[in-house]
Amino acid sequence: MSQQANPRGTFLKIADTLKTGIEADPDITELPALAEVMSDHKVSRGVALRAFAVLKQEGVAEPVPGGRWRVVRDGVNVDRRPLEQRIADIIRADGLEVGQPFPSASALAERFEVSRPTVTKALEKLEAAGVLAGGGQGRVRTVRAVPTREERS
């Protein structure tokens, strides 16, 4: 009978390794990519996801739609509002007025450190709410309305 490594608990070992790395380096703000964890530990996607789930359960990390998992640290404030609300805040923060062009999806993806498809979904929600107009391939989005505090909450 050949001896093989027991896969039980592998995800716990990976979670412990990631947690140790986070505790050792206070500058780590996000977990490695799922593919990187799979490659480094030679495990399946399911095992890597279970390791991430353990970190979430322990309050060490949280998923970010369209981005890498974020490390949660005590005393560090992170804006956890939906992306469309944070994007709507740009109108006031950048002093945009009705009719002015709105930043591109690529610029917003870079600014918020998320993927373009995630930004596109948020922009579509703002268009449906009547805050932005236009958009689409080759067309510049413009500000249709400046959101009030009630509309953003």
Side-chain angles (χ1 to χ4, degrees):
M1 192 177 217
S2 68
Q3 291 207 344
Q4 294 180 332
N6 186 344
R8 274 190 118 157
T10 302
F11 69 97
L12 293 172
K13 292 175 187 171
I14 294 169
D16 285 342
T17 301
L18 293 170
K19 190 174 177 181
T20 301
I22 291 167
E23 291 168 351
D25 186 353
D27 294 332
I28 293 177
T29 58
E30 56 188 28
L31 295 181
L34 191 62
E36 190 177 328
V37 172
M38 292 167 52
S39 174
D40 289 351
H41 296 277
K42 296 176 180 39
V43 295
S44 69
R45 176 174 162 74
V47 172
L49 283 171
R50 286 182 74 186
F52 281 23
V54 168
L55 295 175
K56 179 181 178 184
Q57 183 179 1
E58 292 178 357
V60 175
E62 63 187 6
V64 176
R68 287 190 178 182
W69 280 57
R70 174 181 343 169
V71 173
V72 177
R73 298 200 187 267
D74 290 334
V76 177
N77 288 335
V78 175
D79 191 350
R80 289 182 172 85
R81 293 177 302 149
L83 183 59
E84 64 269 13
Q85 289 179 6
R86 293 185 285 148
I87 288 175
D89 284 346
I90 290 174
I91 295 171
R92 286 199 188 278
D94 291 0
L96 299 177
E97 296 181 15
V98 174
Q100 287 189 304
F102 198 73
S104 70
S106 296
L108 293 170
E110 187 175 318
R111 185 170 179 171
F112 290 101
E113 298 179 346
V114 296
S115 68
R116 274 191 52 226
T118 300
V119 170
T120 300
K121 287 178 188 175
L123 291 172
E124 288 169 355
K125 289 179 182 179
L126 291 172
E127 286 177 14
V131 176
L132 298 176
Q137 193 160 353
R139 295 190 346 226
V140 176
R141 267 184 196 84
T142 58
V143 176
R144 179 182 277 173
V146 176
T148 61
R149 295 234 179 255
E150 295 81 39
E151 289 173 324
R152 289 186 289 145
S153 58

